[in-house]
Amino acid sequence: MSEATFRGGVHPYEGKELSSDLPIKTVMPTGEMVFPMGQHIGAPATPIVAKGDKVLVGQKIGEASGFISANICSSVSGTVKAVEPRMLLNGSKATCVVVENDGQYTGIEGLGEDRDYTKLSNDEIRDIVKEAGVVGMGGAGFPTNVKLAPKEPDKIDYILVNGAECEPYLTSDYRQMLECPEEIVGGLKVILKLFDKAKGLICIEDNKPEAIAKMEKMVQNENRIEVKVLKTKYPQGGERTLISAATGRKIYSAKLPADAGCIVDNISTVIAIYRAVCKCTPLITRVMTLTGDAFEKPVNVNVRIGCCHADLVAEGGGFKQEPAKIISGGPMMGFAMFDLNVPVTKTSSSILAMTTDEVALNEPTPCIRCGRCVSACPGNLVPQKMAQAVSHNDYDTFVSLNGMECYECGSCTYACPAKRPLTQLFKQARQHVAAQRRKK
């Protein structure tokens, strides 16, 4: 069993033992459901329902408003209460369709019916994925139908299923590999139908031996699919690092994975493709991990998109004590939540509740030029020099140091003994440079 990896990276405390052995629990929400129209990269969807309308499970309530956009489907049946701005995870407000859940979960006609993907044309498959509102569920939220339609499909050599789940604490992908491997392989076979020359690689870190064994058993008779074992290291699951580790190919910020002959999809996304194409079910649910030492009982939950984060806390037994910090996502690339009264979206992956805010305890000190940030950076950058440029508002130098190639993965910040907020600096600098470029 060979292990593939990339240059750089770090080994933070994993924390996965809190929830890795806990089966996925299905949660059926009650009351109000809130569906943001912007749950993806690109233009927000346009609401196509109004106050007072009756909706069904699987019904489209928001329509993609551009090439890079995605449909939004209701996860419950009920009555539209409002179409109005509501607070989102990042603290901003955006247009949402608010549905009063009737608790009946009445579905649209044909919801859940079996469908033979082998009898569908490639265009029909892409249209189904688009209609179902499937997007990248690993965090980016890129519309999947667009990803499955590269300019030169004949040049796609690899379909990479990202099962690395390198972010600490998160175990939702791991549990899905154990509990529904048939759907993962089924979704991958749907994608492979679109690309005749491609090979499917299910990429899993070596700290998940049970998942590796399960998936290897599932694909033992599949001549176009194999399991690729990766060395456990953060950020192994990043798109560029995954491509490098699994195929040896390189891409940069100006390129797409398709430019390197690759398409990368998260475990949850591949399952969503399977359900949309083979089970006539749009993207209306997702699996999340509720974990951290502040939770009484960490748990993995299958939740309906649109439910409230605050309502999920009880599924983890509530909090042992008031959390010092709550993070949406993992500790490396997630972001702090200041209010749990916000809806679950297609890209929500976890609620991480901690009794101690370690970041707040770390007082930054001057750089000692130790070079640890350079060794940790998976992008082969020099964070120390980049930070110096940003601190002087010298964005030209930041760009010349390839600062726009930063993954914002947090490896440099984690490795820094001076506890300098490097990733935060680079995130702000990249946003500034991008804004200036748009103006020009």
Side-chain angles (χ1 to χ4, degrees), residues 146-342:
V146 179
K147 185 180 287 189
L148 296 180
K151 293 179 180 179
E152 299 178 289
D154 290 342
K155 292 187 177 180
I156 300 300
D157 301 315
Y158 295 104
I159 309 299
L160 305 181
V161 179
N162 187 351
E165 197 167 42
C166 63
E167 184 77 46
Y169 290 94
L170 275 57
T171 56
S172 54
D173 285 352
Y174 173 69
R175 290 309 311 178
Q176 288 179 100
M177 285 188 279
L178 293 183
E179 297 183 39
C180 46
E182 300 88 353
E183 292 183 288
I184 297 168
V185 175
L188 179 52
K189 290 169 75 171
V190 171
I191 301 172
L192 287 171
K193 183 183 183 300
L194 304 177
F195 305 100
D196 295 335
K197 300 177 182 178
K199 183 174 186 178
L201 300 180
I202 301 174
C203 305
I204 310 173
E205 284 190 325
D206 61 7
N207 64 348
K208 305 174 181 67
E210 289 186 33
I212 291 169
K214 176 78 76 170
M215 297 310 304
E216 285 182 334
K217 184 177 180 180
M218 283 297 304
V219 304
Q220 60 186 354
N221 297 320
E222 301 289 344
N223 59 8
R224 295 181 64 194
I225 303 175
E226 70 176 55
V227 173
K228 186 75 172 179
V229 179
L230 308 175
K231 186 176 180 180
T232 300
K233 183 168 58 170
Y234 179 86
Q236 188 72 265
E239 196 167 62
R240 283 187 257 176
T241 47
L242 188 76
I243 291 171
S244 175
T247 72
R249 300 179 180 184
K250 308 288 185 182
I251 62 167
Y252 303 96
S253 62
K255 292 186 175 183
L256 297 172
D259 295 324
C262 300
I263 287 177
V264 182
D265 278 312
N266 169 265
I267 287 286
S268 295
T269 309
V270 174
I271 292 174
I273 291 171
Y274 171 80
R275 292 175 181 171
V277 176
C278 302
K279 293 293 182 180
C280 299
T281 302
L283 179 49
I284 53 176
T285 63
R286 73 153 299 136
V287 178
M288 296 176 62
T289 302
L290 313 181
T291 188
D293 61 358
F295 269 109
E296 190 70 43
K297 296 178 181 179
V299 64
N300 297 292
V301 290
N302 183 30
V303 303
R304 301 249 165 177
I305 290 167
C307 71
C308 182
H309 279 77
D311 293 340
L312 293 178
V313 172
E315 304 298 331
F319 295 132
K320 296 176 183 176
Q321 64 184 71
E322 188 66 25
K325 192 168 194 175
I326 301 177
I327 298 172
S328 174
M332 298 298 285
M333 292 192 74
F335 52 88
M337 299 179 67
F338 63 91
D339 192 344
L340 284 168
N341 291 300
V342 291

Side-chain angles (χ1 to χ4, degrees), residues 343-358:
V344 169
T345 67
K346 298 175 185 180
T347 58
S348 301
S349 59
S350 81
I351 301 175
L352 175 57
M354 311 299 289
T355 57
T356 304
D357 185 353
E358 294 185 11

Side-chain angles (χ1 to χ4, degrees), residues 69-126:
S69 187
N71 293 335
I72 307 294
C73 298
S74 179
S75 62
V76 298
S77 55
T79 305
V80 177
K81 286 179 61 178
V83 179
E84 63 186 18
R86 288 290 185 97
M87 190 75 74
L88 306 183
L89 270 170
N90 61 7
S92 65
K93 283 192 173 184
T95 300
C96 298
V97 172
V98 184
V99 176
E100 185 64 36
N101 179 10
D102 63 14
Q104 300 299 309
Y105 297 99
T106 307
I108 57 174
E109 185 177 354
L111 183 70
E113 289 184 359
D114 291 336
R115 179 163 47 198
D116 186 354
Y117 77 93
T118 64
K119 296 180 179 178
L120 300 172
S121 70
N122 290 356
D123 285 341
E124 285 175 326
I125 289 174
R126 293 186 180 98

Side-chain angles (χ1 to χ4, degrees), residues 330-411:
M332 298 298 285
M333 292 192 74
F335 52 88
M337 299 179 67
F338 63 91
D339 192 344
L340 284 168
N341 291 300
V342 291
V344 169
T345 67
K346 298 175 185 180
T347 58
S348 301
S349 59
S350 81
I351 301 175
L352 175 57
M354 311 299 289
T355 57
T356 304
D357 185 353
E358 294 185 11
V359 175
L361 297 176
N362 294 328
E363 188 69 31
T365 58
C367 173
I368 59 174
R369 299 177 181 269
C370 65
R372 293 184 188 178
C373 59
V374 179
S375 299
C377 179
N380 299 331
L381 305 178
V382 185
Q384 179 262 326
K385 289 187 176 181
M386 290 159 53
Q388 187 177 36
V390 175
S391 65
H392 291 92
N393 296 321
D394 185 357
Y395 296 106
D396 289 339
T397 298
F398 174 78
V399 172
S400 71
L401 291 167
N402 293 319
M404 297 305 284
E405 297 297 326
C406 173
Y407 298 0
E408 298 179 15
C409 67
S411 294

